[in-house]
Amino acid sequence: MSEMNRRTVLKALGLATAGAVAGGAATVAGFKAGEASPATAPTGGSSITVHNSPTASTLLPFEGVHQAGIITDPPEAVLLVALDVLSSDRNELVNLFKTLTARTQTLMGGAIGTAGEENPDFPPHNTGELGFEPLREGRLAITVGLGASLFEQTGKDRFGLAAQRPIALKPMPRDLAGDRLNPAMTDGDLFLQISSDHPIYNLHALRDILRATKGQLSPLWMQPGFQRFVEAGPGQAKARGLLGFKDGTSNLDTKDSELMSNLVWAGADEPSWAQGGTYAAVRLIREQIERWDRLTLNQQESSIGRHKTTGAVLGKDKETDPAKFDQDAAGEQVPLDSHIRKANPRLGAESEKRRILRRGYLYMNGVDKSGLLDAGFLFMGFCRNVEEQFEFVKRNYMTNRNFPQANTGAQDLDEYLFCIGGGYFYLPPGVRSPDRFLADALLLG
Amino acid sequence: MTRKTSYTFNLLALAGLLTLTLAACGSDPTPAPTSPGPAKTTAAATSGASNSDELAALRTLNARLSETETALKKDDLEGARKAYKAFDDGWYDVESIVRTRSKEAYRDIEQAMTKVGRELLRNEKPVSADVLPLLATLQSTYGASVKAAETAKPVAVAKVPAISGAEVEAATSKVSEYLMSRTDGLVKTTGDFAAAVKARDLAKAKTGYTVARFDYESVEFLAEAFKDFDVAIDARPDAFPQGETDPNWTGFHPLEKAIFVDGKLDERTDKLADGLVKDVTALRDEIKKMTIDPVVAIGGAAELIEEIQAGKITGEEERYSRTDLNDFRANLQSAKFVYDTYGPFVQQRNAVLHTEVQNRLSEVEKAIAPLFDAQGVATDYTKVDDKTRKILAQKVEALADAFSRVSGTLGLKV
């Protein structure tokens, strides 16, 4: 890998943030994340933030081996969007992806458009809610995904792409136990995960993209989400869900590139255009908050399998203490139907290969018809193969009544939540140079 | 990509500046790349105007390079490393400024930095004499970027003159005649409708209503210029404190309710019918005094399209008769007449936009055609499902978006 690429990758991993801070204090520390060896890195480096530095840029790089928004650190606001492609013409699809690429690159680069560029006789290009100075902050990432219907819809090869479909891409199954899918909130030709430090960046990006693609894309469903991330060490969760438990304790380490290659980035079994991309299982999960809040602490902890305050596995002291299910075969410490045993049973290689990179946000849409909170979890599971990983775990572990033992039942947590929408999408590899565009190898191939 | 008329591009080229890639096509100076066509994949040029912050940031970093050079000349490797690291770190903050101006400059600087970084920072025993020429290359590429930013004039927007001349005048007369004859038609068909109401002939009143409404919707934007008439003729009950029972609610819609919902024609509807004829006739007299010019015509056509989106798609307009599609078609027909008349002038200035507007007009026409029977009677709008309504809405959106760039292209201040 060339040095330039290495820098780009490091930035994609979120290390640029630290680098930028070091830049502010460079004359003193003379340290930069991209070149730091572990020995020279200041201790507690992960606690460095850039928010107080007026000159530091927190823009994420657009170009890269992978799209931003997958292994980059999740910022606090997200907007999930599914759209339908209106055209049926391959050339128009190519132009659509060129437009999407250009807008994404411009928006992520913070170039929102200065006032001087506007012609008073035309509708302004910059909608203005972010002002008119180029942005250097916000960590905006626009991640584009492709739905199965783009490749084939009701048996029709719409754009001549059917033969290039990623091997495991399909509409989200309608038979996953417990799901109550709203068809109006499920699937879509295209998926956008727009994420940044504030919902206003996301909305700006969405407006820009919708304007730039009028007549080409029709919005299908949208769901904004939020999360509060805190600093955390390795093996510790950076966030909590609405159920009050830590979320992400045993998530995959995005800095472990071998792990990412094995479990997240699609490899040689996929069509060549798709390699370096990943699947996203997007699940909009409604949680029955009121009911959950009436459970005793014991009931809640048994349902999850962790202590609520510390995040430690039941019976352990610390969040980082490893689960040892083999020493608790009867589920005396950690119930067999608890979430952590069902979602990650720790069976060794057999279940390790099915792990996924999770990215989670919370949502709150007001109240439902019964006056109950319409709130829950926005789950994104990135994986190398959605059938062998996300779906296998869902079918064979979580909702399998006879796993890990006969008559265990589905995971207890399913009593309190259900999936209402989302979809399976394929996130193509990143755009690697200025003369390329997103999914060009698919569309021009 | 058509660049021939892009003033923006020429100005920058003249100034010997960095190449901007405009994503917009033709002479449309807005950078929104909505037009299909061989759009470049590079980012739209959205930056270019220098601002003092950016310049200051670029200059500050340039000073770090000079410091590096000074230190190297003194063989002060420690100082040189320190200064260069400050540059390297600061680069993260300004690279987007350089990059939005010129990909090429960005790439050259990155390449030069890689070489300097290798010799100065990562080489365990750097040699000043080896680093200096590499640094010189970097200084020259980086310096050129700073200079370009300093001399950059703000990107001028392409001001186009308003269309004018005999051909334009002829087009305007044509549109004016069309609108006036439509207005005369409105007086005639409203008279027929009122006669049917007063004859207490429900069936005839229903047909008469639809016909008169079509004419009204064809010239709706002209009527709306006269707020009082618009309220008297076309108000919905929500505009009045007592709603449907409000005595001030007059015009088409209380009659619509009487005919299509109540099925009852009486003395009250007689009075309403007489009032409607009086108001429509007075409106016609006012419209006849208006001077139609390209601004009124094009602005009006745009309004007609927005009217479709605002009232007809949602089914709020004709809530009793459910003839919303009839109004939809009337709005569209007039907008299309106006556009077709001025279209050649758009074509001269931005052929891509012209094709886009034409295509999208015909897309909308095609989408509503199946919703009318052979006699031209519109489907009951409540029977049009949500999916179809959304398809219509999205097609109208696409049309409205393209149309929003027509007036500017013609140099009109709407």
Side-chain angles (χ1 to χ4, degrees):
Chain A
M1 186 183 285
S2 78
E3 302 204 43
M4 221 175 108
N5 278 340
R6 185 176 61 86
R7 285 162 57 105
T8 309
V9 171
L10 286 165
K11 288 176 79 173
L13 289 171
L15 292 178
T17 301
V21 159
T27 46
V28 183
F31 154 76
K32 186 162 127 191
E35 286 154 6
S37 66
T40 58
T43 51
S46 66
S47 68
I48 295 175
T49 62
V50 296
H51 301 294
N52 298 324
S53 172
T55 57
S57 164
T58 62
L59 298 176
L60 296 176
F62 167 74
E63 279 172 20
V65 177
H66 310 295
Q67 289 192 66
I70 302 168
I71 60 168
T72 45
D73 283 343
E76 303 211 331
V78 78
L79 181 55
L80 306 183
V81 183
L83 308 117
D84 280 335
V85 174
L86 296 173
S87 154
S88 53
D89 177 90
R90 175 80 162 260
N91 288 329
E92 284 181 30
L93 191 66
V94 167
N95 284 326
L96 169 65
F97 274 77
K98 285 179 175 177
T99 302
L100 268 180
T101 305
R103 295 319 301 159
T104 296
Q105 181 166 25
T106 302
L107 289 162
M108 285 178 65
I112 52 178
T114 60
E117 294 160 37
E118 305 290 3
N119 183 327
D121 295 337
F122 283 81
H125 167 63
N126 178 354
T127 48
E129 67 274 32
L130 292 173
F132 297 88
E133 292 296 322
L135 295 176
R136 311 224 186 124
E137 78 290 338
R139 293 195 291 169
L140 178 71
I142 299 165
T143 320
V144 181
L146 316 178
S149 52
L150 199 67
F151 296 86
E152 196 176 323
Q153 195 170 38
T154 51
K156 246 176 61 187
D157 185 358
R158 297 165 69 192
F159 300 100
L161 298 173
Q164 294 295 315
R165 186 176 55 85
I167 53 175
L169 187 64
K170 59 185 182 183
M172 192 149 78
R174 299 309 198 253
D175 65 337
L176 293 178
D179 284 8
R180 300 183 208 169
L181 298 181
N182 172 359
M185 295 291 288
T186 309
D187 296 335
D189 295 339
L190 283 189
F191 168 72
L192 301 179
Q193 178 206 206
I194 307 175
S195 59
S196 71
D197 287 328
H198 195 283
I200 197 166
Y201 297 117
N202 295 345
L203 182 56
H204 179 84
L206 174 72
R207 279 172 82 178
D208 185 289
I209 288 171
L210 290 181
R211 288 181 86 195
T213 57
K214 277 281 173 232
Q216 298 170 281
L217 288 177
S218 172
L220 189 62
W221 56 262
M222 284 186 200
Q223 180 61 59
F226 53 89
Q227 181 53 282
R228 185 183 71 121
F229 293 104
V230 297
E231 293 301 331
Q236 294 179 321
K238 288 165 66 180
R240 285 179 183 268
L242 291 177
L243 303 185
F245 282 78
K246 291 195 171 189
D247 177 48
T249 297
S250 62
N251 205 358
L252 300 183
D253 178 5
T254 54
K255 310 270 190 293
D256 183 340
S257 57
E258 199 185 326
L259 195 65
M260 293 299 104
S261 290
N262 290 336
L263 296 176
V264 176
W265 306 124
D269 44 347
E270 291 287 353
S272 62
W273 72 267
Q275 292 167 22
T278 187
Y279 291 87
V282 179
R283 309 267 293 166
L284 316 179
I285 297 169
R286 166 76 190 270
E287 294 176 338
Q288 296 179 300
I289 304 286
E290 288 87 348
R291 194 177 159 200
W292 178 262
D293 290 346
R294 287 189 289 268
L295 295 179
T296 67
L297 182 57
N298 271 331
Q299 286 173 313
Q300 292 183 358
E301 292 187 336
S302 296
S303 187
I304 301 290
R306 288 185 185 277
H307 289 295
K308 196 168 186 179
T309 46
T310 59
V313 173
L314 290 181
K316 307 280 182 191
D317 289 334
K318 293 199 293 289
E319 187 183 1
T320 47
D321 290 342
K324 298 248 163 65
F325 297 151
D326 50 346
Q327 293 167 15
D328 180 25
E332 281 163 7
Q333 288 275 4
V334 184
L336 298 178
D337 65 350
S338 65
H339 175 65
I340 64 165
R341 271 195 105 140
K342 286 287 219 171
N344 182 7
R346 291 154 173 94
L347 303 174
E350 172 52 28
S351 67
E352 284 303 304
K353 70 180 184 192
R354 311 208 181 269
R355 295 178 67 200
I356 56 181
L357 174 65
R358 289 168 288 139
R359 195 179 180 90
Y361 285 91
L362 313 177
Y363 82 85
M364 159 66 186
N365 289 346
V367 289
D368 68 9
K369 286 177 187 160
S370 307
L372 300 172
L373 289 174
D374 180 3
F377 191 62
L378 307 177
F379 171 95
M380 279 169 279
F382 302 119
C383 44
R384 197 175 200 272
N385 183 311
V386 73
E387 285 183 330
E388 291 173 8
Q389 291 168 263
F390 167 76
E391 194 175 321
F392 185 96
V393 169
K394 184 82 187 147
R395 286 188 193 278
N396 296 283
Y397 301 160
M398 296 172 79
T399 59
N400 177 358
R401 307 191 58 79
N402 294 315
F403 179 88
Q405 290 173 14
N407 293 320
T408 297
Q411 70 162 350
D412 180 71
L413 192 57
D414 285 356
E415 284 286 313
Y416 311 103
L417 47 79
F418 50 90
C419 181
I420 54 169
Y424 286 176
F425 301 98
Y426 195 82
L427 314 182
V431 176
R432 274 179 261 189
S433 60
D435 55 331
R436 306 265 317 256
F437 63 94
L438 195 79
D440 57 355
L442 165 69
L443 297 167
L444 303 178
Chain B
M1 182 178 344
T2 315
R3 285 173 173 157
K4 57 182 187 287
T5 50
S6 171
Y7 177 61
T8 306
F9 191 86
N10 289 341
L11 180 86
L12 286 163
L14 276 174
L17 282 183
L18 312 154
T19 309
L20 281 178
T21 308
L22 285 179
C25 296
S27 61
D28 174 5
T30 61
T34 56
S35 309
K40 287 247 174 168
T41 59
T42 45
T46 48
S47 184
S50 293
N51 73 55
S52 50
D53 285 356
E54 291 188 349
L55 260 183
L58 289 170
R59 283 188 189 127
T60 307
L61 270 193
N62 209 14
R64 302 286 90 82
L65 287 181
S66 305
E67 286 162 22
T68 313
E69 186 191 358
T70 312
L72 282 174
K73 283 184 173 159
K74 287 189 285 186
D75 212 19
D76 169 11
L77 285 168
E78 193 53 36
R81 279 186 164 186
K82 198 166 131 183
Y84 185 71
K85 275 177 182 162
F87 172 82
D88 199 29
D89 290 330
W91 172 243
Y92 275 138
D93 302 334
V94 300
E95 61 177 22
S96 70
I97 304 173
V98 173
R99 192 193 180 104
T100 46
R101 287 190 160 85
S102 166
K103 295 263 179 214
E104 292 75 19
Y106 172 79
R107 206 176 309 143
D108 291 348
I109 292 170
E110 282 273 347
Q111 276 168 10
M113 282 177 69
T114 304
K115 289 177 187 160
V116 176
R118 189 188 301 132
E119 285 304 317
L120 180 61
L121 298 183
R122 288 181 286 284
N123 186 340
E124 292 204 354
K125 292 203 166 71
V127 180
S128 294
D130 293 345
V131 183
L132 273 167
L134 300 173
L135 184 72
T137 307
L138 175 58
Q139 279 178 296
S140 109
T141 50
Y142 186 81
S145 279
V146 178
K147 196 161 175 113
E150 279 170 342
T151 51
K153 291 183 185 127
V155 177
V157 291
K159 282 284 202 174
V160 286
I163 47 166
S164 60
E167 285 176 4
V168 174
E169 278 165 33
T172 303
S173 304
K174 196 177 156 194
V175 167
S176 181
E177 275 164 36
Y178 171 85
L179 293 172
M180 294 308 165
S181 89
R182 272 279 136 97
T183 310
D184 285 334
L186 170 66
V187 174
K188 163 84 174 52
T189 53
T190 305
D192 295 347
F193 167 55
V197 170
K198 291 176 78 174
R200 313 273 163 92
D201 184 338
L202 266 178
K204 239 180 164 174
K206 279 185 181 172
T207 318
Y209 176 82
T210 317
V211 174
R213 286 297 296 167
F214 191 91
D215 284 337
Y216 185 79
E217 292 291 330
S218 303
V219 296
E220 188 177 19
F221 72 97
L222 294 176
E224 283 181 349
F226 306 96
K227 204 70 208 152
D228 296 350
F229 284 116
D230 192 39
V231 170
I233 295 169
D234 197 29
R236 298 173 203 163
D238 325 87
F240 301 93
Q242 295 167 54
E244 291 178 344
T245 59
D246 200 296
N248 292 320
W249 183 35
T250 60
F252 278 115
H253 297 301
L255 286 167
E256 180 198 5
K257 179 172 181 288
I259 296 162
F260 289 91
V261 177
D262 306 335
K264 203 174 96 188
L265 297 174
D266 52 20
E267 280 169 25
R268 187 184 71 101
T269 52
D270 288 353
K271 257 175 71 184
L272 283 167
D274 285 339
L276 179 64
V277 170
K278 209 173 125 240
D279 287 334
V280 165
T281 309
L283 171 67
R284 189 252 324 258
D285 296 343
E286 290 299 322
I287 289 176
K288 293 252 160 162
K289 290 182 217 158
M290 285 176 78
T291 309
I292 305 295
D293 62 17
V295 173
V296 173
I298 292 292
E303 257 179 66
L304 287 170
I305 294 167
E306 296 296 349
E307 270 293 319
I308 298 173
Q309 199 65 301
K312 281 80 186 181
I313 297 278
T314 53
E316 288 161 42
E317 188 85 12
E318 304 285 351
R319 64 183 69 171
Y320 309 113
S321 61
R322 300 156 176 186
T323 54
D324 304 84
L325 285 167
N326 192 56
D327 297 3
F328 186 140
R329 185 138 91 162
N331 288 162
L332 184 67
Q333 203 174 79
S334 277
K336 186 170 170 6
F337 184 90
V338 171
Y339 186 77
D340 286 347
T341 311
Y342 289 102
F345 309 116
V346 178
Q347 187 173 23
Q348 284 166 17
R349 293 182 171 197
N350 185 342
V352 173
L353 178 63
H354 178 59
T355 309
E356 194 167 76
V357 174
Q358 281 190 315
N359 287 346
R360 290 177 178 188
L361 274 166
S362 87
E363 280 274 302
V364 178
E365 280 185 318
K366 268 192 283 177
I368 60 166
L371 301 172
F372 289 82
D373 70 14
Q375 281 72 47
V377 177
T379 306
D380 177 339
Y381 198 56
T382 57
K383 302 227 161 68
V384 177
D385 62 26
D386 286 350
K387 196 179 161 201
T388 309
R389 287 184 189 206
K390 184 173 172 188
I391 291 169
L392 290 178
Q394 289 296 318
K395 288 192 187 293
V396 175
E397 270 289 291
L399 171 61
D401 182 77
F403 213 95
S404 73
R405 281 171 278 140
V406 168
S407 58
T409 301
L410 298 179
L412 305 174
K413 295 207 178 307
V414 291

